[in-house]
Amino acid sequence: MTDKLQALQELIPELEKYPAQVQDNFNKAISEMPEALSDEQRSDWLKQGIAIAAQTVRSWEAAAHFFQVSPKVIASMPYSYFVRWMECGSSLCEESPTLASAYFEASPATMSKLRSRHIESWAGLGDGLYKGTWKSSTLACRFFAESPTLLDTLSFQQLENFANFLDALSHRSYDLSSECLTLGEQIFPLVGEDKDAFLSLATTLVDTGWREVKSFFEAGAKALPKIHPEERMRFLKLAESLVNNGGTNIPGTMLEISQSLSLLEEDNHHIVLGFAETLLDEEPLAMPEFIKSAPIVLEKLTIMQLGRWYQEGVNTLSQNKDGGLAFFKIESSHSEAVIETLSSGIEFDRIKPVMEMYCRALAGAEIKLSPTDALVEKNIGWVSNESPTTEGSTVFVPTVVDRYASKEENYAWFKVVSTHQVAHLEFGSFIFEFEREAELFENLRLDLEKRRIEALQNKQAEDLSGADEPDNPEISQDQSLEAHTGLERAWLTDMQRFFDLFEDRKLSLDIFTVVEDGRLDARVKAEYPGIKSSYIQVQSDSHENRPDIKELPAREAMVEFMVRLSLQQYEGVSAPSKYSKEASQVAQIARRVLVSDATVEDTAEATLRIYAIISAIPNEEIPPDDWNDMDFEDEDDEDYVDPEDMENLLEQIGMGMEMELRPEGEEEYESLQEVEYRGDFKPELAQLMTELRMQEQDEMSQAQGEPLTQEQLQELLENSAELDLQATEGEIQESSGMFADNIMKEAGANMPQSPDDSQGPFVHVDEEGGELEPAEPETFVYDEWDFRAEDYKPRWCIVRQKTMQEGDPAYFGNTLNEYGTLVTRIRRQFEMMVPEMFRKERKLIDGEDIDIDDVIENMVDIKTGSSPDEKFYWRRNKVQRDVAVAFLLDTSASTAEAIDEGKNKQDDWDAPDDPVEYMVWLRTRRGEQMRRSYKRIIDMEKESMVLLINALEAIGDTYGIYGFSGYGRENVEFYTVKDLQEGFSDKVKRRIDRIAPLHATRMGPAIRHAAYKLDNTDARTKILFLISDGRPQDRGYSREGVEKEYAVHDTKMALDEAKKQGINSFCLTVDKNGHDYLKTMCSDMGYEILDDINDLPERLLVLYRRLTM
Amino acid sequence: MTTQSLYKSFIIEEYQLEEEPYYVPIHDEVELFEAAYKSRLPLIFKGPTGCGKTRFVEYMSYKLGLELTKVTKDDSDNSGVNLPLVTIACHEDLTGSDLVGRYLLEGDQTVWLDGPLTRAVKAGGICYLDEVVEARKDTTVLIHPLTDHRRILPIEKRGELLEAAEGFLLVLSYNPGYQSALKDLKHSTRQRFVSIEFDYPPVDLEAQIVEHEAEVDKDTAYQLAKLGEKIRNLKEHGLGEGASTRLLIYAGKLISEGIPPRRACQVSVNWAITDDQSLQQSITEIISSIFE
């Protein structure tokens, strides 16, 4: 024992050979080493340390670390393992002291997480990463250092895999490997149960695309948290399959997919991933597209319906890969159609055209239909995004209706909503006139107004005599008093005048709304029996969303009571027992207007009476037992007589006392929530808008009356109960000011505006983008045909229609002079076409009259006994010319080719795809052309147009001349030189001068637009004449592998569409190589290739004559 | 035993309306017509298709005929009740000889055959040229001498001038709806006529007409009339013509034969007036709102 201790003691001086730190650490450690350790073990330990220190010059550092951590390490394992630990360290140190240091340093933390038997393997992992280089050493050290953290989440087996992965990666790049090590620390906690999957995917990636590994880790770190924890493994498997199937940009795809998944409800991840997995068997590339589209589709479909959409996509995919891909990207019409069919919701955009016409028909006025949010954006007082409403000229309806399970029900709801809003216009909610007699009630309005004014005058007089304090003038009150006392007071609207009768505007508006809505509903049901059943359904469904009447304070309960009645609930309507007499009075009055001859004035009279009754009821809580269920007859035949106490009640209102008489401490009256299908009813504002519009129109014709001022408007808005201006005084001023501003604008906004010629700047939209919307005026959007997918790409191209700038009119005359003789000849030929319209045809069996010569011949035949020719009638064959023709000129850059240099005319196909390079390419090409002085193709086109105009003016055909060019699908330029309806003028002459080569040739949309123009022209014969110099091409007007065919097929489809619209097309080209594609493009239409461009003007005219005869 | 004729055929000027045609005056057209007839002023009826122009002419010929008969009661020969009414549907190929008459060969001689216009002029009835803009302009010039104080019809081929009989009146109808630049009446023609504008009757009257003509109940008739009114609101929005009273009557007849109203309107109104799908849908919505 002592020997051993002795041995230890003897060894200690060995340590002195090394820097003091070694000895210090040893001294510190020995005291911390467990007591149970035998001296022999201790000295072995010391020997081991010395051996380490002795290995190389720098290994003392490792030894220092060794001593430092030993007490901690030994605490977590039996001595036998400790020995193995020491040996591992020692052998590591032989490799590299730095490595050993890292090993020792990481050991205490690692050992607590590592099973003792894995010590050697662990050391081996680090050792394996060390390749003797500086970088590998760093990596290995870091591996040791990170091990404790990694082991928090990884099993040792997985750690081994990870180390192997790092090793594999390090063969490619140490830096990358080391970065992945760091990222691994972050990512493994997120991966959940499936580190194996993740690791194996990562390892696969090293083989297939090691450069992506880092982004894969980064993407993983971002993507995984977005996915339901249980589905993460499947997500990774999907990514792995993509890798195996040769997918590229896996990290990007992962991010996109996870982003899409994060938009879904987590519960749906399972199902969506399930579909995605099966899709992998069909077409791996479609899988990411499917997941990316899933959130969009699920906005419209339920998860079950998604399955059917998916199935349809798989079917498409099996027939046509591109079609299937486009389907899953929702870039095909078929896909949209399937979604639409499956979806139970009704989308405003889809049914707008039909419903708008429907509303117009019903109202008999130019009604527009808009989504509700459009109204809110206008900021003129309507604030609810959901409620349907109308402001007098436009009916606003929700963007999407998805309240019921079936499309039919949703549609019925939508129709009821629209019908109700239109009813406001059809049955005159806004044509209220204060002084017009009501049909069903005795008129009390004027009487009441008189009383109000008297009462106010008296009050004012009292105020003036009683309180003669000039320094206390409440300006606003003064003004309002003046306003009421001055009999000449000008109300902006009659509606405003009516609501001015009541102190409690909110209550009066609510009553008016319920009564008027009830009247309209009754009227609609009477006038439109067809919609009655849906209407009743919607009404009874509305009950469910009403507040519980018994929880409302009395006055609100009375209003709710009316709402229930107006929704056709006639049995068991609760009303406070205390006020059941009032309730039945109210019911009686309200139901008076449910007849077809009731007018809005009746509503007003009813409102006035009901207001009188209800405003006298205190807004107090009613105990749950004090309620009565009331029943009513379906028909109410009793003659209505105003109740006796009505006089008293009106007296109070007349005095403006109803607010003051209310008991202290009652609850403040709150408006009830509106009935959903009836939406937001703002009679005052709507009438105001209507009148403002009229005023605006009057101003257009003649200045009449005083225009409305901003102040008046603001005052109306501030008093109106229709605006929710809850705020301090200043803010009310502000927001009513804003509303007033906007209202003024809005009223003027519907006036025709001068056309704005300015076009927005070029916007670059990537080909991979989605659908486009024509946002600016004079832009049109068209589909594009993708022949590989065999479907249209919906709303794919934007055509920007512009009028050609004007140049020098002399060009026209000069050209005519240049072609002097030709011009006269052509003109004569064309003029001859006119008499040709009445050719006399002889020798007919039947006709206008007999031809006397033929008859004589016939008679002669008879006399001579030969068989006579019975065809002796003649008739004038009337060829009525009714021709409209659109000339579509290719003004692409290639038309700048000089015609003499036809030989070296190369295909445009070398145009670079990159937008920047493309522009450079264009510019150099154009630059080249500029230096040439001889004629270009475009010049011949221009000259042909001049001659053509000259000829066409002789025969009076309708014709239009357009140039087209463009750059990318969002910038198809369509220049009008002469519109179809436009007469020939100097302007046209000037414009011809400015026709110039521009960009590329995207023919499809240009043809579609020209066809659209022809379609809107009234003519028996419609011709589209396309003059081009080469094949269609444009940036992005192609698909990989089928560059040229794509454009040709779209063009062909555009021509076919035109044909379906009854438009004959003819293509004239100067491209000598044109046969190959023209055969496809114009398979069943006429086309001609000009051998010599110089023939263009003459040939064009000959062709034109032939086409139109 | 006499063989029953398989069909009824009349000589053009002897065709008689046996019953008074049903006609509900909308404005003062009856008075106008009567006044114009007294001075033998020719008339043009303008109005959309199916609004009752032809029916009005029939009605007037019957009505005026009655008055004539009353006046000439003692002439027992005059068994005719109404004024002869010769209706000529104009079309593009209608030539002058189609109106005036032509020579035909019969045996070894030529025979002159009067055209419908000539016969009306001779018989002294109302000659009604329906859709006159369809006829060629050179044809319409033929009627000029008949329309002014001369009241003559030159028959060039025979070298005759035919003076119109006492009762003769020329009435033209045309539908400004299809007006295209090519098809309009020449001013020299137009300005020879008194123009009466026709339009579809207001809802109540139209309901009354539909009720009578289609023999449907009052409610159905009213609903049909309302349908007509609503559809006509769409006239500026893609509908060339609104739903005519005639179509509404067709629909009513189908309904009274037991076809469900929505279906009847679909086939007789909706599909008759437009081929535009979206418009058809809109009209379907209107129909389904109005009819159960």
Side-chain angles (χ1 to χ4, degrees), chain A residues 358 361 366 415 426 527 530, chain B residues 226 230 233 237 288-290:
Chain A
Y358 170 78
E366 281 292 307
K415 197 172 163 186
E426 189 181 4
E527 297 272 335
Chain B
K226 196 159 57 189
K230 297 303 174 198
N233 284 337
H237 303 285
S288 69
S289 278
I290 294 179

Side-chain angles (χ1 to χ4, degrees), chain A residues 353-358 360-366 411 415 419 426 526-532 838 847-850 855 858-859 872-873 875-876 878 880-882 1018 1020, chain B residues 92-93 95 97 102-105 108 136 138 157 179-180 182-183 222-223 226 229-231 233-234 236-238 262 277-279 281-282 284-292:
Chain A
V354 169
M355 286 316 275
E356 190 166 72
M357 285 300 222
Y358 170 78
R360 282 178 181 172
L362 254 50
E366 281 292 307
Y411 190 74
K415 197 172 163 186
T419 311
E426 189 181 4
E527 297 272 335
Y528 299 105
I531 203 174
K532 199 171 167 180
F838 292 104
E848 227 170 275
D849 209 338
I850 50 172
V855 172
N858 178 282
M859 294 307 285
F872 46 71
Y873 278 94
R875 74 185 304 160
R876 271 173 293 194
K878 194 177 66 166
Q880 199 168 27
R881 260 194 101 74
D882 187 8
D1018 186 34
R1020 204 171 297 174
Chain B
E92 281 184 311
D93 287 335
T95 62
S97 23
R102 54 163 55 99
Y103 277 111
L104 293 175
L105 280 171
D108 54 357
R136 293 226 312 267
D138 55 333
K157 287 186 183 132
Q179 230 172 26
S180 85
L182 284 169
K183 285 183 180 169
Y222 179 67
Q223 283 162 4
K226 196 159 57 189
E229 183 200 21
K230 297 303 174 198
I231 293 177
N233 284 337
L234 290 178
E236 294 307 313
H237 303 285
R262 284 185 182 185
Q277 285 233 330
S278 134
L279 208 52
Q281 279 179 35
S282 300
T284 308
E285 292 305 330
I286 302 168
I287 293 172
S288 69
S289 278
I290 294 179
F291 294 96
E292 280 172 81

Side-chain angles (χ1 to χ4, degrees), chain A residues 815-859:
Chain A
T815 309
L816 284 183
N817 289 339
E818 200 178 316
Y819 283 87
T821 48
L822 186 61
V823 168
T824 23
R825 201 173 75 228
I826 290 171
R827 180 130 193 156
R828 198 172 310 130
Q829 277 175 354
F830 270 74
E831 273 163 357
M832 271 159 59
M833 288 169 76
V834 186
E836 275 168 11
M837 289 178 205
F838 292 104
R839 254 182 321 215
K840 196 166 175 180
E841 245 180 290
R842 284 175 56 195
K843 299 212 180 278
L844 297 171
I845 296 175
D846 189 16
E848 227 170 275
D849 209 338
I850 50 172
D851 187 312
I852 200 67
D853 294 342
D854 289 337
V855 172
I856 292 167
E857 210 174 290
N858 178 282
M859 294 307 285

Side-chain angles (χ1 to χ4, degrees), chain B residues 9-24:
Chain B
S9 117
F10 299 94
I11 294 171
I12 204 162
E13 54 270 45
E14 285 178 9
Y15 172 65
Q16 299 289 343
L17 295 163
E18 280 157 21
E19 284 171 37
E20 178 176 336
Y22 177 80
Y23 185 78
V24 181

Side-chain angles (χ1 to χ4, degrees), chain A residues 112-302:
Chain A
S112 59
K113 290 159 191 162
L114 194 68
R115 290 185 178 217
S116 307
R117 59 187 159 87
H118 288 313
I119 293 173
E120 280 137 336
S121 320
W122 179 60
L125 292 178
D127 192 24
L129 288 173
Y130 177 70
K131 300 284 179 334
T133 60
W134 175 74
K135 280 197 173 179
S136 69
S137 144
T138 320
L139 178 66
C141 290
R142 285 204 46 208
F143 172 73
F144 281 128
E146 305 290 353
S147 287
T149 338
L150 287 170
L151 280 169
D152 281 340
T153 44
L154 296 182
S155 70
F156 185 72
Q157 180 67 40
Q158 289 162 342
L159 184 70
E160 264 185 322
N161 289 341
F162 187 52
N164 289 338
F165 156 77
L166 290 174
D167 189 28
L169 190 59
S170 68
H171 290 304
R172 314 276 187 179
S173 155
Y174 279 107
D175 291 340
L176 206 55
S177 192
S178 147
E179 280 171 57
C180 287
L181 182 58
T182 324
L183 286 166
E185 214 181 304
Q186 299 166 15
I187 201 170
F188 287 118
L190 300 170
V191 179
E193 292 304 299
D194 305 291
K195 286 127 192 154
D196 290 329
F198 186 81
L199 281 168
S200 83
L201 177 54
T203 317
T204 329
L205 261 181
V206 173
D207 295 334
T208 52
W210 58 272
R211 285 191 176 79
E212 287 180 355
V213 171
K214 183 188 164 197
S215 24
F216 168 72
F217 269 77
E218 282 169 346
K222 284 185 201 142
L224 288 170
K226 291 177 183 158
I227 297 164
H228 192 279
E230 284 170 26
E231 309 298 335
R232 288 180 187 163
M233 166 176 131
R234 299 172 69 191
F235 173 76
L236 289 168
K237 284 253 166 66
L238 285 175
E240 189 174 5
S241 326
L242 266 187
V243 176
N244 292 337
N245 283 298
T248 48
N249 187 19
I250 304 300
T253 314
M254 280 172 69
L255 272 183
E256 282 174 355
I257 294 182
S258 65
Q259 182 60 36
S260 299
L261 284 170
S262 73
L263 296 173
L264 301 177
E265 284 173 36
E266 289 218 329
D267 297 344
N268 288 340
H269 287 183
H270 179 74
I271 301 167
V272 170
L273 287 171
F275 286 135
E277 279 161 9
T278 28
L279 192 56
L280 275 179
D281 303 335
E282 303 283 339
E283 172 54 58
L285 293 181
M287 187 276 289
E289 305 302 342
F290 165 72
I291 298 183
K292 279 188 253 170
S293 299
I296 305 165
V297 178
L298 281 176
E299 270 174 27
K300 295 170 187 168
L301 302 184
T302 65

Side-chain angles (χ1 to χ4, degrees), chain A residues 905-923:
Chain A
K905 176 179 163 1
Q906 77 266 45
D907 209 330
D908 277 343
W909 200 251
D910 57 1
D913 259 342
D914 180 82
V916 182
E917 283 175 36
Y918 186 92
M919 296 313 282
V920 174
W921 172 83
L922 260 181
R923 216 170 296 134

